[in-house]
Amino acid sequence: MKRYYWLLLSAVAVAPLAAQAQTTPVQPPAGTLPAAAPTGPWSLQGAVDYALTHNLNVRQSQLQAQNIDVALLQSRAAMLPSANLNGSQAWNYGTTINPLTNVFQSQTTRNNNFSAVSQITLFSGFQLRNTVRRNTLDYQAALSDVEQARNDLSLNVASAYLQMLLAQELVRTNEVRAASTQLQVEQSQKLLKAGAVAESNVLDSRAQLSTDQLNVITAQNQLAIAKIQLAQLLNLDEAASQALTIETPELADPTEGALADVAPAEVFGTAQARQPEIKAADLRVQSSMRSLDLARGAYYPRLTFGASIFTGYSSLYTLPTTSVDSAQAFFPIFQLDPNTGRPTTTAAPFVAVTPFQPVFRRSSENVSYFTQLDNNLGKSLQFNLQIPILNGLQARTSVQRAKINQQLAEVRAEQARLVLRQTIEQAFADALAAQRQFLASSRQVEALTLAYRNAEIRFNNGLLNGTEFNIAKNNLTAAESSMIQAKYSFVFRRKVLDFYQGRPISL
Protein backbone atom coordinates (compact mmCIF):
# COMPACT_ATOMS: atom_id res chain seq x y z
CA MET A 1 0.00 0.00 0.00
CA LYS A 2 3.00 2.29 0.38
CA ARG A 3 3.20 2.89 -3.33
CA TYR A 4 -0.17 4.66 -3.29
CA TYR A 5 0.84 6.74 -0.35
CA TRP A 6 4.02 7.86 -2.08
CA LEU A 7 2.05 8.65 -5.22
CA LEU A 8 0.30 11.57 -3.57
CA LEU A 9 3.41 12.49 -1.59
CA SER A 10 5.23 13.13 -4.84
CA ALA A 11 2.27 15.15 -6.11
CA VAL A 12 1.72 17.51 -3.20
CA ALA A 13 5.35 17.96 -2.21
CA VAL A 14 6.28 19.71 -5.47
CA ALA A 15 6.10 23.50 -5.34
CA PRO A 16 4.54 25.25 -8.33
CA LEU A 17 7.82 26.95 -9.15
CA ALA A 18 9.59 23.61 -9.44
CA ALA A 19 6.91 21.57 -11.20
CA GLN A 20 8.20 19.59 -14.14
CA ALA A 21 6.48 17.59 -16.85
CA GLN A 22 6.25 13.91 -16.05
CA THR A 23 7.05 11.40 -18.76
CA THR A 24 5.95 8.18 -17.04
CA PRO A 25 2.16 7.68 -16.80
CA VAL A 26 0.53 6.12 -13.76
CA GLN A 27 -0.89 3.34 -15.91
CA PRO A 28 -0.04 2.30 -19.46
CA PRO A 29 -2.54 3.60 -22.01
CA ALA A 30 -5.21 1.05 -22.80
CA GLY A 31 -8.04 0.68 -25.25
CA THR A 32 -11.26 2.29 -24.24
CA LEU A 33 -14.35 0.36 -23.39
CA PRO A 34 -17.61 0.83 -25.28
CA ALA A 35 -19.46 2.57 -22.42
CA ALA A 36 -19.41 6.36 -22.72
CA ALA A 37 -18.06 8.52 -19.93
CA PRO A 38 -20.58 10.68 -18.06
CA THR A 39 -20.77 14.36 -18.92
CA GLY A 40 -20.29 17.23 -16.51
CA PRO A 41 -17.91 17.59 -13.59
CA TRP A 42 -16.82 14.34 -11.98
CA SER A 43 -17.29 13.75 -8.29
CA LEU A 44 -14.77 11.61 -6.44
CA GLN A 45 -17.30 8.85 -5.87
CA GLY A 46 -18.36 8.94 -9.51
CA ALA A 47 -14.74 8.71 -10.65
CA VAL A 48 -14.07 5.75 -8.35
CA ASP A 49 -17.20 3.90 -9.49
CA TYR A 50 -16.40 4.47 -13.15
CA ALA A 51 -12.80 3.34 -12.70
CA LEU A 52 -13.85 0.16 -10.91
CA THR A 53 -16.01 -0.72 -13.92
CA HIS A 54 -13.61 0.20 -16.71
CA ASN A 55 -10.10 -0.19 -15.35
CA LEU A 56 -8.23 -3.04 -17.05
CA ASN A 57 -6.12 -3.98 -14.02
CA VAL A 58 -9.28 -4.78 -12.06
CA ARG A 59 -10.62 -6.69 -15.05
CA GLN A 60 -7.43 -8.76 -15.20
CA SER A 61 -7.77 -9.64 -11.51
CA GLN A 62 -11.35 -10.73 -12.10
CA LEU A 63 -10.34 -12.94 -15.02
CA GLN A 64 -7.56 -14.52 -12.96
CA ALA A 65 -10.10 -15.32 -10.26
CA GLN A 66 -12.39 -16.89 -12.87
CA ASN A 67 -9.46 -18.98 -14.11
CA ILE A 68 -8.87 -20.33 -10.60
CA ASP A 69 -12.60 -20.99 -10.26
CA VAL A 70 -12.42 -23.18 -13.36
CA ALA A 71 -9.49 -25.07 -11.83
CA LEU A 72 -11.61 -25.61 -8.70
CA LEU A 73 -14.45 -27.00 -10.81
CA GLN A 74 -12.04 -29.35 -12.58
CA SER A 75 -10.63 -30.66 -9.28
CA ARG A 76 -14.16 -31.41 -8.06
CA ALA A 77 -14.96 -33.19 -11.31
CA ALA A 78 -11.82 -35.32 -10.88
CA MET A 79 -13.59 -37.10 -8.01
CA LEU A 80 -16.27 -38.40 -10.39
CA PRO A 81 -15.88 -41.57 -12.48
CA SER A 82 -14.42 -41.20 -15.94
CA ALA A 83 -16.34 -42.65 -18.89
CA ASN A 84 -15.22 -42.81 -22.51
CA LEU A 85 -16.62 -44.30 -25.70
CA ASN A 86 -14.19 -45.44 -28.39
CA GLY A 87 -14.83 -46.45 -31.96
CA SER A 88 -12.63 -47.19 -34.93
CA GLN A 89 -12.85 -48.40 -38.49
CA ALA A 90 -9.83 -49.86 -40.26
CA TRP A 91 -9.00 -51.40 -43.62
CA ASN A 92 -6.23 -53.99 -43.60
CA TYR A 93 -4.32 -54.95 -46.76
CA GLY A 94 -2.07 -57.96 -47.16
CA THR A 95 -1.24 -60.42 -44.42
CA THR A 96 -2.65 -59.40 -41.07
CA ILE A 97 -4.24 -60.91 -37.99
CA ASN A 98 -7.96 -60.64 -37.73
CA PRO A 99 -8.56 -59.19 -34.24
CA LEU A 100 -11.82 -61.11 -33.92
CA THR A 101 -10.60 -64.53 -35.11
CA ASN A 102 -6.86 -64.36 -34.38
CA VAL A 103 -6.26 -65.94 -37.78
CA PHE A 104 -3.67 -64.78 -40.31
CA GLN A 105 -5.38 -63.49 -43.39
CA SER A 106 -3.93 -62.28 -46.63
CA GLN A 107 -6.71 -60.21 -48.10
CA THR A 108 -8.38 -56.88 -47.66
CA THR A 109 -10.63 -56.70 -44.59
CA ARG A 110 -12.68 -54.05 -42.89
CA ASN A 111 -12.82 -54.02 -39.11
CA ASN A 112 -14.90 -52.02 -36.66
CA ASN A 113 -14.05 -51.88 -32.96
CA PHE A 114 -16.26 -50.32 -30.30
CA SER A 115 -15.61 -50.05 -26.58
CA ALA A 116 -16.82 -48.21 -23.49
CA VAL A 117 -14.44 -47.74 -20.57
CA SER A 118 -15.12 -46.30 -17.12
CA GLN A 119 -12.80 -45.84 -14.15
CA ILE A 120 -13.03 -44.34 -10.68
CA THR A 121 -10.37 -43.70 -8.06
CA LEU A 122 -11.37 -45.35 -4.80
CA PHE A 123 -8.38 -44.21 -2.74
CA SER A 124 -5.32 -42.06 -3.51
CA GLY A 125 -4.05 -40.86 -0.18
CA PHE A 126 -6.84 -38.23 0.00
CA GLN A 127 -5.11 -36.31 -2.79
CA LEU A 128 -8.32 -35.59 -4.69
CA ARG A 129 -10.05 -34.22 -1.63
CA ASN A 130 -7.05 -32.14 -0.61
CA THR A 131 -6.79 -30.77 -4.13
CA VAL A 132 -10.38 -29.55 -3.91
CA ARG A 133 -9.74 -27.93 -0.53
CA ARG A 134 -6.55 -26.26 -1.73
CA ASN A 135 -8.20 -24.90 -4.88
CA THR A 136 -11.11 -23.62 -2.80
CA LEU A 137 -8.68 -21.63 -0.65
CA ASP A 138 -6.86 -20.38 -3.75
CA TYR A 139 -10.14 -19.18 -5.23
CA GLN A 140 -11.04 -17.33 -2.03
CA ALA A 141 -7.58 -15.74 -2.06
CA ALA A 142 -8.09 -14.72 -5.69
CA LEU A 143 -11.38 -13.03 -4.75
CA SER A 144 -9.47 -11.14 -2.06
CA ASP A 145 -6.94 -10.14 -4.72
CA VAL A 146 -9.79 -8.69 -6.77
CA GLU A 147 -10.96 -6.72 -3.75
CA GLN A 148 -7.42 -5.52 -3.14
CA ALA A 149 -7.13 -4.38 -6.76
CA ARG A 150 -10.37 -2.45 -6.34
CA ASN A 151 -9.12 -0.85 -3.11
CA ASP A 152 -5.78 0.03 -4.68
CA LEU A 153 -7.53 1.59 -7.65
CA SER A 154 -9.81 3.59 -5.35
CA LEU A 155 -6.80 5.01 -3.53
CA ASN A 156 -5.06 5.76 -6.82
CA VAL A 157 -8.12 7.57 -8.14
CA ALA A 158 -8.45 9.53 -4.89
CA SER A 159 -4.78 10.47 -5.11
CA ALA A 160 -5.05 11.62 -8.73
CA TYR A 161 -8.30 13.45 -7.95
CA LEU A 162 -6.70 15.36 -5.07
CA GLN A 163 -3.63 16.01 -7.18
CA MET A 164 -5.86 17.62 -9.81
CA LEU A 165 -7.62 19.67 -7.12
CA LEU A 166 -4.24 20.81 -5.84
CA ALA A 167 -3.13 21.77 -9.34
CA GLN A 168 -6.35 23.74 -9.89
CA GLU A 169 -5.83 25.57 -6.60
CA LEU A 170 -2.27 26.44 -7.55
CA VAL A 171 -3.43 27.72 -10.96
CA ARG A 172 -6.03 29.97 -9.32
CA THR A 173 -3.56 31.23 -6.75
CA ASN A 174 -0.90 32.05 -9.35
CA GLU A 175 -3.43 33.73 -11.63
CA VAL A 176 -4.52 35.97 -8.75
CA ARG A 177 -0.89 36.84 -8.05
CA ALA A 178 -0.22 37.58 -11.72
CA ALA A 179 -3.31 39.82 -11.89
CA SER A 180 -2.18 41.64 -8.78
CA THR A 181 1.27 42.14 -10.22
CA GLN A 182 -0.26 43.45 -13.47
CA LEU A 183 -2.10 46.11 -11.47
CA GLN A 184 1.13 46.86 -9.65
CA VAL A 185 2.93 47.42 -12.96
CA GLU A 186 0.23 49.81 -14.09
CA GLN A 187 0.37 51.67 -10.78
CA SER A 188 4.16 51.92 -11.00
CA GLN A 189 3.95 53.39 -14.49
CA LYS A 190 1.52 56.03 -13.25
CA LEU A 191 3.81 56.90 -10.35
CA LEU A 192 6.76 57.06 -12.73
CA LYS A 193 4.97 59.55 -14.95
CA ALA A 194 4.14 61.60 -11.89
CA GLY A 195 7.77 61.47 -10.82
CA ALA A 196 6.92 59.77 -7.55
CA VAL A 197 9.09 56.66 -8.07
CA ALA A 198 12.24 55.76 -9.92
CA GLU A 199 12.24 53.87 -13.20
CA SER A 200 13.88 50.89 -11.46
CA ASN A 201 10.63 50.28 -9.58
CA VAL A 202 8.77 49.86 -12.87
CA LEU A 203 11.44 47.51 -14.17
CA ASP A 204 11.29 45.44 -11.00
CA SER A 205 7.49 45.23 -11.26
CA ARG A 206 7.71 44.07 -14.86
CA ALA A 207 10.28 41.42 -13.91
CA GLN A 208 8.00 40.22 -11.14
CA LEU A 209 5.08 40.06 -13.60
CA SER A 210 7.11 37.84 -15.93
CA THR A 211 7.93 35.54 -13.02
CA ASP A 212 4.28 35.33 -11.97
CA GLN A 213 3.17 34.60 -15.53
CA LEU A 214 5.75 31.82 -15.72
CA ASN A 215 4.38 30.40 -12.47
CA VAL A 216 0.89 30.40 -13.99
CA ILE A 217 2.10 28.43 -17.01
CA THR A 218 3.98 26.00 -14.75
CA ALA A 219 0.85 25.44 -12.65
CA GLN A 220 -1.24 24.94 -15.79
CA ASN A 221 1.23 22.31 -17.03
CA GLN A 222 1.02 20.57 -13.67
CA LEU A 223 -2.78 20.62 -13.95
CA ALA A 224 -2.62 19.11 -17.46
CA ILE A 225 -0.40 16.27 -16.20
CA ALA A 226 -2.72 15.60 -13.23
CA LYS A 227 -5.67 15.55 -15.63
CA ILE A 228 -3.96 13.00 -17.86
CA GLN A 229 -3.13 10.77 -14.88
CA LEU A 230 -6.74 10.75 -13.72
CA ALA A 231 -8.03 10.12 -17.25
CA GLN A 232 -5.67 7.15 -17.63
CA LEU A 233 -6.90 5.62 -14.38
CA LEU A 234 -10.47 6.06 -15.63
CA ASN A 235 -9.50 4.57 -19.01
CA LEU A 236 -11.03 7.46 -20.95
CA ASP A 237 -10.56 8.07 -24.65
CA GLU A 238 -8.93 11.22 -25.99
CA ALA A 239 -12.15 13.20 -26.38
CA ALA A 240 -13.35 12.36 -22.88
CA SER A 241 -9.92 13.16 -21.45
CA GLN A 242 -9.94 16.61 -23.00
CA ALA A 243 -13.42 17.30 -21.62
CA LEU A 244 -12.61 15.96 -18.13
CA THR A 245 -13.54 18.31 -15.32
CA ILE A 246 -13.97 17.61 -11.64
CA GLU A 247 -16.03 19.08 -8.85
CA THR A 248 -14.32 21.40 -6.40
CA PRO A 249 -15.62 20.52 -2.95
CA GLU A 250 -15.02 22.63 0.08
CA LEU A 251 -12.26 20.96 2.07
CA ALA A 252 -12.06 21.80 5.74
CA ASP A 253 -8.74 23.13 6.95
CA PRO A 254 -6.81 20.91 9.37
CA THR A 255 -7.41 21.92 12.97
CA GLU A 256 -5.64 21.11 16.20
CA GLY A 257 -7.98 18.21 16.96
CA ALA A 258 -8.23 16.80 13.44
CA LEU A 259 -6.38 13.60 14.43
CA ALA A 260 -7.72 13.26 17.94
CA ASP A 261 -9.85 10.23 17.00
CA VAL A 262 -7.00 8.35 15.31
CA ALA A 263 -4.67 5.91 17.08
CA PRO A 264 -2.27 3.93 14.82
CA ALA A 265 -2.54 0.77 16.94
CA GLU A 266 -6.34 0.79 16.78
CA VAL A 267 -6.33 1.54 13.05
CA PHE A 268 -3.96 -1.39 12.47
CA GLY A 269 -6.15 -3.71 14.54
CA THR A 270 -9.17 -2.77 12.44
CA ALA A 271 -7.29 -2.87 9.15
CA GLN A 272 -5.74 -6.31 9.53
CA ALA A 273 -9.19 -7.79 10.12
CA ARG A 274 -10.66 -6.06 7.04
CA GLN A 275 -7.98 -5.59 4.42
CA PRO A 276 -8.14 -8.12 1.57
CA GLU A 277 -4.34 -8.40 1.24
CA ILE A 278 -4.19 -9.78 4.78
CA LYS A 279 -7.05 -12.18 4.09
CA ALA A 280 -5.38 -13.34 0.88
CA ALA A 281 -2.07 -13.93 2.66
CA ASP A 282 -3.75 -15.98 5.42
CA LEU A 283 -5.72 -18.00 2.87
CA ARG A 284 -2.53 -18.81 0.99
CA VAL A 285 -0.99 -20.06 4.23
CA GLN A 286 -3.91 -22.45 4.58
CA SER A 287 -3.57 -23.39 0.92
CA SER A 288 0.10 -24.25 1.46
CA MET A 289 -0.90 -26.56 4.32
CA ARG A 290 -3.29 -28.37 1.98
CA SER A 291 -0.50 -28.61 -0.58
CA LEU A 292 1.61 -30.30 2.07
CA ASP A 293 -1.17 -32.83 2.75
CA LEU A 294 -1.47 -33.33 -0.99
CA ALA A 295 2.24 -34.08 -1.31
CA ARG A 296 2.12 -36.53 1.59
CA GLY A 297 -0.68 -38.41 -0.16
CA ALA A 298 1.93 -39.76 -2.59
CA TYR A 299 3.17 -42.04 0.22
CA TYR A 300 -0.13 -43.97 0.26
CA PRO A 301 -1.29 -46.75 -2.08
CA ARG A 302 -3.61 -45.93 -4.94
CA LEU A 303 -6.68 -48.07 -5.62
CA THR A 304 -8.81 -47.71 -8.74
CA PHE A 305 -11.72 -49.64 -10.18
CA GLY A 306 -12.46 -49.93 -13.86
CA ALA A 307 -15.07 -51.50 -16.09
CA SER A 308 -15.16 -51.91 -19.85
CA ILE A 309 -17.26 -53.42 -22.60
CA PHE A 310 -16.03 -54.33 -26.10
CA THR A 311 -17.43 -55.51 -29.38
CA GLY A 312 -16.39 -55.46 -33.00
CA TYR A 313 -17.07 -56.39 -36.62
CA SER A 314 -14.89 -58.00 -39.32
CA SER A 315 -15.79 -58.40 -42.97
CA LEU A 316 -14.20 -61.90 -43.00
CA TYR A 317 -15.85 -63.13 -39.87
CA THR A 318 -17.67 -66.49 -40.37
CA LEU A 319 -19.85 -68.43 -38.00
CA PRO A 320 -17.84 -71.03 -36.05
CA THR A 321 -19.18 -74.61 -35.92
CA THR A 322 -18.07 -77.42 -33.63
CA SER A 323 -17.68 -81.23 -33.99
CA VAL A 324 -16.68 -83.79 -31.43
CA ASP A 325 -13.80 -86.21 -32.13
CA SER A 326 -12.79 -89.14 -29.97
CA ALA A 327 -10.00 -91.73 -30.36
CA GLN A 328 -9.09 -95.13 -28.86
CA ALA A 329 -5.59 -95.97 -27.75
CA PHE A 330 -4.52 -99.61 -27.22
CA PHE A 331 -2.22 -100.35 -24.32
CA PRO A 332 0.83 -102.51 -25.26
CA ILE A 333 2.04 -105.46 -23.09
CA PHE A 334 5.77 -105.81 -22.67
CA GLN A 335 7.23 -109.36 -22.13
CA LEU A 336 10.52 -111.26 -22.71
CA ASP A 337 10.90 -113.80 -25.49
CA PRO A 338 11.92 -117.08 -23.76
CA ASN A 339 14.01 -118.12 -26.76
CA THR A 340 15.91 -114.95 -27.42
CA GLY A 341 15.53 -113.12 -24.15
CA ARG A 342 14.52 -109.93 -25.91
CA PRO A 343 11.49 -107.80 -24.97
CA THR A 344 8.49 -108.06 -27.20
CA THR A 345 5.14 -106.22 -27.26
CA THR A 346 1.72 -107.60 -27.91
CA ALA A 347 -1.66 -105.89 -28.04
CA ALA A 348 -3.59 -106.02 -24.82
CA PRO A 349 -7.33 -106.54 -24.83
CA PHE A 350 -7.72 -103.20 -23.02
CA VAL A 351 -8.15 -99.79 -24.65
CA ALA A 352 -8.21 -96.17 -23.31
CA VAL A 353 -10.75 -93.77 -24.78
CA THR A 354 -9.63 -90.08 -24.85
CA PRO A 355 -12.11 -87.40 -23.68
CA PHE A 356 -14.33 -85.71 -26.22
CA GLN A 357 -12.58 -82.63 -27.71
CA PRO A 358 -14.55 -79.95 -29.52
CA VAL A 359 -13.02 -78.92 -32.80
CA PHE A 360 -13.92 -75.42 -34.15
CA ARG A 361 -14.27 -75.04 -37.86
CA ARG A 362 -15.27 -72.03 -39.91
CA SER A 363 -18.34 -72.33 -41.98
CA SER A 364 -18.76 -70.41 -45.19
CA GLU A 365 -21.76 -68.56 -43.80
CA ASN A 366 -21.18 -64.79 -43.38
CA VAL A 367 -22.57 -63.13 -40.27
CA SER A 368 -24.49 -59.85 -40.40
CA TYR A 369 -23.11 -56.63 -38.90
CA PHE A 370 -25.31 -56.39 -35.82
CA THR A 371 -25.17 -60.14 -35.23
CA GLN A 372 -21.38 -59.88 -35.06
CA LEU A 373 -21.62 -56.97 -32.61
CA ASP A 374 -23.82 -59.13 -30.43
CA ASN A 375 -21.67 -62.28 -30.75
CA ASN A 376 -18.39 -60.45 -30.11
CA LEU A 377 -19.57 -58.61 -27.01
CA GLY A 378 -17.08 -58.81 -24.14
CA LYS A 379 -17.09 -57.30 -20.62
CA SER A 380 -14.48 -56.82 -17.91
CA LEU A 381 -14.18 -55.57 -14.33
CA GLN A 382 -10.81 -54.65 -12.89
CA PHE A 383 -9.32 -53.46 -9.62
CA ASN A 384 -5.88 -51.81 -9.80
CA LEU A 385 -3.71 -51.37 -6.72
CA GLN A 386 -0.48 -49.38 -6.90
CA ILE A 387 1.78 -49.36 -3.85
CA PRO A 388 4.63 -46.82 -4.00
CA ILE A 389 7.97 -48.23 -2.87
CA LEU A 390 10.75 -46.32 -4.58
CA ASN A 391 10.15 -43.66 -7.22
CA GLY A 392 13.35 -41.67 -7.28
CA LEU A 393 12.49 -39.87 -4.00
CA GLN A 394 9.80 -37.88 -5.83
CA ALA A 395 7.31 -38.07 -2.99
CA ARG A 396 9.95 -37.15 -0.40
CA THR A 397 11.23 -34.13 -2.32
CA SER A 398 7.67 -33.02 -3.06
CA VAL A 399 6.91 -33.03 0.66
CA GLN A 400 10.06 -31.04 1.38
CA ARG A 401 9.18 -28.44 -1.23
CA ALA A 402 5.65 -28.21 0.17
CA LYS A 403 7.06 -27.54 3.65
CA ILE A 404 9.30 -24.80 2.31
CA ASN A 405 6.38 -23.23 0.41
CA GLN A 406 4.34 -23.27 3.60
CA GLN A 407 7.08 -21.41 5.43
CA LEU A 408 7.29 -18.91 2.58
CA ALA A 409 3.54 -18.34 2.75
CA GLU A 410 3.77 -17.73 6.49
CA VAL A 411 6.61 -15.25 5.99
CA ARG A 412 4.63 -13.44 3.28
CA ALA A 413 1.66 -13.19 5.62
CA GLU A 414 3.85 -11.67 8.32
CA GLN A 415 5.37 -9.35 5.73
CA ALA A 416 1.91 -8.21 4.62
CA ARG A 417 1.02 -7.35 8.21
CA LEU A 418 4.34 -5.56 8.68
CA VAL A 419 3.84 -3.48 5.54
CA LEU A 420 0.30 -2.62 6.59
CA ARG A 421 1.40 -1.54 10.05
CA GLN A 422 4.27 0.53 8.68
CA THR A 423 2.01 2.18 6.10
CA ILE A 424 -0.51 3.15 8.78
CA GLU A 425 2.18 4.46 11.09
CA GLN A 426 3.79 6.42 8.25
CA ALA A 427 0.44 7.84 7.12
CA PHE A 428 -0.35 8.96 10.66
CA ALA A 429 3.08 10.52 11.14
CA ASP A 430 2.86 12.36 7.83
CA ALA A 431 -0.71 13.49 8.53
CA LEU A 432 0.43 14.87 11.85
CA ALA A 433 3.39 16.59 10.18
CA ALA A 434 1.11 18.03 7.47
CA GLN A 435 -1.28 19.26 10.14
CA ARG A 436 1.50 21.02 12.01
CA GLN A 437 2.92 22.43 8.78
CA PHE A 438 -0.49 23.79 7.79
CA LEU A 439 -1.04 25.46 11.15
CA ALA A 440 2.44 26.99 11.07
CA SER A 441 2.03 28.07 7.44
CA SER A 442 -1.35 29.64 8.27
CA ARG A 443 0.22 31.76 10.96
CA GLN A 444 3.06 32.63 8.60
CA VAL A 445 0.62 33.64 5.87
CA GLU A 446 -1.23 35.92 8.29
CA ALA A 447 1.98 37.63 9.31
CA LEU A 448 3.36 37.91 5.78
CA THR A 449 0.03 39.22 4.49
CA LEU A 450 0.22 42.13 6.89
CA ALA A 451 3.85 42.71 5.93
CA TYR A 452 2.95 42.60 2.23
CA ARG A 453 0.13 45.11 2.62
CA ASN A 454 2.43 47.44 4.48
CA ALA A 455 5.11 47.03 1.81
CA GLU A 456 2.53 47.64 -0.91
CA ILE A 457 1.45 50.93 0.68
CA ARG A 458 5.04 52.05 1.04
CA PHE A 459 5.84 50.96 -2.53
CA ASN A 460 2.88 52.86 -3.96
CA ASN A 461 3.98 55.96 -2.07
CA GLY A 462 7.52 55.62 -3.33
CA LEU A 463 8.93 54.79 0.08
CA LEU A 464 10.04 51.25 -0.87
CA ASN A 465 12.00 50.13 -3.88
CA GLY A 466 10.81 47.34 -6.20
CA THR A 467 13.36 44.78 -5.02
CA GLU A 468 12.28 44.96 -1.40
CA PHE A 469 8.62 44.92 -2.40
CA ASN A 470 9.12 41.82 -4.57
CA ILE A 471 10.88 40.06 -1.70
CA ALA A 472 7.86 40.65 0.54
CA LYS A 473 5.52 39.42 -2.18
CA ASN A 474 7.55 36.29 -2.94
CA ASN A 475 7.73 35.45 0.76
CA LEU A 476 3.94 35.57 0.92
CA THR A 477 3.68 33.48 -2.27
CA ALA A 478 5.95 30.77 -0.87
CA ALA A 479 4.02 30.69 2.42
CA GLU A 480 0.67 30.38 0.63
CA SER A 481 2.00 27.57 -1.59
CA SER A 482 3.34 25.72 1.44
CA MET A 483 -0.01 26.09 3.21
CA ILE A 484 -1.97 24.76 0.21
CA GLN A 485 0.32 21.78 -0.22
CA ALA A 486 0.16 20.97 3.51
CA LYS A 487 -3.62 21.08 3.40
CA TYR A 488 -3.96 18.63 0.51
CA SER A 489 -1.25 16.42 1.92
CA PHE A 490 -3.17 16.20 5.19
CA VAL A 491 -6.48 15.53 3.41
CA PHE A 492 -5.09 12.56 1.51
CA ARG A 493 -3.33 11.02 4.50
CA ARG A 494 -6.46 11.45 6.54
CA LYS A 495 -8.43 9.67 3.81
CA VAL A 496 -5.90 6.83 3.87
CA LEU A 497 -6.40 6.44 7.61
CA ASP A 498 -10.17 6.54 7.16
CA PHE A 499 -9.87 3.89 4.45
CA TYR A 500 -8.02 1.55 6.79
CA GLN A 501 -10.73 2.09 9.37
CA GLY A 502 -13.33 0.84 6.92
CA ARG A 503 -14.76 4.21 5.97
CA PRO A 504 -15.59 5.05 2.34
CA ILE A 505 -13.32 7.40 0.42
CA SER A 506 -15.24 10.64 -0.05
CA LEU A 507 -14.65 14.38 0.10
Side-chain angles (χ1 to χ4, degrees), residues 14 104 109 150 164 176 179 197 224 234 247 266 318 399 406 409:
V14 178
F104 280 99
T109 61
R150 293 171 61 88
M164 190 170 174
V176 170
V197 296
L234 298 177
E247 296 178 354
E266 295 179 359
T318 55
V399 170
Q406 179 182 352

Side-chain angles (χ1 to χ4, degrees), residues 17-43:
L17 300 178
Q20 297 180 354
Q22 301 181 15
T23 58
T24 304
V26 176
Q27 177 181 321
T32 58
L33 297 177
T39 59
W42 293 67
S43 65

Side-chain angles (χ1 to χ4, degrees), residues 108-239:
T108 301
T109 61
R110 180 175 70 89
N111 298 321
N112 290 108
N113 295 316
F114 304 99
S115 63
V117 181
S118 179
Q119 181 174 308
I120 185 172
T121 301
L122 301 179
F123 181 76
S124 61
F126 306 105
Q127 288 184 318
L128 296 178
R129 185 177 64 181
N130 287 326
T131 300
V132 172
R133 293 178 177 178
R134 183 193 62 182
N135 291 346
T136 301
L137 295 170
D138 289 341
Y139 177 62
Q140 294 174 355
L143 293 180
S144 297
D145 290 339
V146 174
E147 188 65 23
Q148 180 184 356
R150 293 171 61 88
N151 290 345
D152 293 346
L153 179 61
S154 299
L155 285 177
N156 271 337
V157 172
S159 173
Y161 195 94
L162 288 174
Q163 184 179 354
M164 190 170 174
L165 283 177
L166 171 62
Q168 289 178 347
E169 185 71 19
L170 293 176
V171 169
R172 285 192 295 268
T173 302
N174 282 280
E175 287 176 346
V176 170
R177 294 192 190 109
S180 175
T181 305
Q182 179 65 42
L183 294 177
Q184 191 65 47
V185 170
E186 296 174 357
Q187 180 68 20
S188 298
Q189 290 176 344
K190 293 179 181 179
L191 292 175
L192 177 63
K193 291 180 180 180
V197 296
E199 185 179 4
S200 60
N201 287 359
V202 177
L203 298 177
D204 290 339
S205 297
R206 290 177 177 175
Q208 183 63 41
L209 177 61
S210 298
T211 301
D212 291 343
Q213 290 174 343
L214 176 61
N215 291 340
V216 171
I217 295 175
T218 302
Q220 290 174 345
N221 292 337
Q222 186 177 355
L223 174 60
I225 294 173
K227 185 177 181 180
I228 291 174
Q229 292 176 344
L230 180 58
Q232 289 175 347
L233 287 172
L234 298 177
N235 198 17
L236 299 177
D237 57 17
E238 183 177 359

Side-chain angles (χ1 to χ4, degrees), residues 48-74:
V48 170
D49 294 340
Y50 187 88
L52 292 177
T53 305
H54 295 78
N55 186 266
L56 298 183
N57 290 335
V58 174
R59 181 58 178 163
Q60 288 178 3
S61 298
Q62 293 172 342
L63 291 175
Q64 290 173 357
Q66 293 177 13
N67 192 23
I68 297 177
D69 187 25
V70 173
L72 173 60
L73 176 62
Q74 193 279 327

Side-chain angles (χ1 to χ4, degrees), residues 10 25 68 71 105 110 188 201 235 247 258-259 268 310 324 404 432 450:
S10 62
I68 297 177
Q105 297 172 339
R110 180 175 70 89
S188 298
N201 287 359
N235 198 17
E247 296 178 354
L259 295 175
F268 173 69
F310 168 84
V324 178
I404 294 174
L432 185 60
L450 294 176

